[in-house]
Amino acid sequence: MSKKPGLTVLAGPTAVGKGTVSTYIRDNYPEVWLSVSATTRPPRPGEQDGVHYFFKSADEFDALVAGGELLEWAVVHGRNRYGTLRSTVDAAIADGRSVLLEIDLQGARQVKQAVPEAQFVFLAPPSWEEMVRRLVGRGTETAEEQQQRLETAKLELAAEPEFDHTVINDDVRRAADELVSLMGLTPHPH
Ligand code: 5GP
């Protein structure tokens, strides 16, 4: 299946490295218009408002939802809300840009309802064992929390058939290049 990729959505299981791939694209592929999401999560050290996220209070986020200003939004990890600003994405698409959304699975499903002609790319771990290593390897959770994360990961992996393409995150640069190719752009020589 070949789609005209004005809008590409990258999603995949927790801890598969979506953030690393999108950071690589932000730093190396200025020709990709990477959507900056709104979130109620507080900024981490080094994160800039308007660059990594638009940081919002709960009330401000409520107003975005009430005003229909979000193309999709979700509570991620049961904690904070994250959402895609519809107007900026629409403007970038209208401008002929190649637009990339890096969002969670719930958000990807909402975009599929709203924009079925978009291209949906699933970022997958190289193997289940590697995924377990990444999830458990952080070493900061209890055994019970780890078990919970693995259960969630299994459910998330089962979403793969809902997507148009799968990119395996065996190497960040390679995965980013494959994603850029799927967006109809030319990967850079390294
Ligand atoms: P983090 O807090 O580590 O930056 O991101 C946590 C998760 O939120 C990631 O899995 C990321 O894909 C997801 N996320 C970031 N922005 C959005 C968004 O606009 N919508 C949705 N649904 N998920 C998002």
Side-chain angles (χ1 to χ4, degrees), residues 18 37 41 44 53 72 74 76 82-84 102-104 107:
K18 294 189 299 286
S37 300
R41 167 167 82 58
R44 296 185 186 129
Y53 285 102
E72 59 75 36
V76 180
Y82 296 79
T84 303
E102 183 261 292
I103 58 178
D104 87 322

Side-chain angles (χ1 to χ4, degrees), residues 18-19 22-23 26 34-44 46-56 61 72 76-77 80-85 102-104:
K18 294 189 299 286
S22 64
T23 298
R26 180 189 289 118
L34 183 62
S35 171
V36 180
S37 300
T39 183
T40 58
R41 167 167 82 58
R44 296 185 186 129
E47 284 185 338
Q48 288 168 266
D49 191 44
V51 176
H52 300 93
Y53 285 102
F54 293 104
F55 296 100
K56 302 287 180 191
F61 202 96
E72 59 75 36
V76 180
H77 302 320
N80 294 300
R81 288 180 286 170
Y82 296 79
T84 303
L85 293 159
E102 183 261 292
I103 58 178
D104 87 322

Side-chain angles (χ1 to χ4, degrees), residues 4-7 31-33 88-99 183 185:
K4 185 175 177 305
L7 177 61
E31 61 270 51
V32 172
W33 191 91
T88 60
V89 168
D90 284 351
I93 294 172
D95 220 21
R97 304 293 309 269
S98 295
V99 173
M183 295 179 75
L185 301 168

Side-chain angles (χ1 to χ4, degrees), residues 3-155:
K3 292 187 171 185
K4 185 175 177 305
L7 177 61
T8 298
V9 176
L10 179 69
T14 312
V16 78
K18 294 189 299 286
T20 323
V21 170
S22 64
T23 298
Y24 184 89
I25 287 184
R26 180 189 289 118
D27 293 344
N28 293 277
Y29 284 103
E31 61 270 51
V32 172
W33 191 91
L34 183 62
S35 171
V36 180
S37 300
T39 183
T40 58
R41 167 167 82 58
R44 296 185 186 129
E47 284 185 338
Q48 288 168 266
D49 191 44
V51 176
H52 300 93
Y53 285 102
F54 293 104
F55 296 100
K56 302 287 180 191
S57 67
D59 286 351
E60 288 169 339
F61 202 96
D62 286 345
L64 291 175
V65 174
E69 291 176 54
L70 299 179
L71 173 60
E72 59 75 36
W73 71 272
V75 177
V76 180
H77 302 320
R79 263 198 301 274
N80 294 300
R81 288 180 286 170
Y82 296 79
T84 303
L85 293 159
R86 189 193 301 278
S87 58
T88 60
V89 168
D90 284 351
I93 294 172
D95 220 21
R97 304 293 309 269
S98 295
V99 173
L100 180 64
L101 309 185
E102 183 261 292
I103 58 178
D104 87 322
L105 283 170
Q106 312 166 72
R109 289 184 175 126
Q110 292 173 43
V111 178
K112 197 161 181 180
Q113 293 295 315
V115 194
E117 68 276 19
Q119 169 170 251
F120 294 85
V121 179
F122 190 81
L123 191 68
S127 66
W128 171 251
E129 289 72 24
E130 176 58 25
M131 177 141 186
V132 171
R133 248 196 308 281
R134 288 182 196 176
L135 278 171
V136 171
R138 294 171 172 176
T140 45
E141 289 84 23
T142 63
E144 199 180 321
E145 281 168 342
Q146 288 177 353
Q147 195 52 41
Q148 180 61 50
R149 278 174 177 246
L150 293 177
E151 291 300 324
T152 305
K154 258 186 224 164
L155 287 176

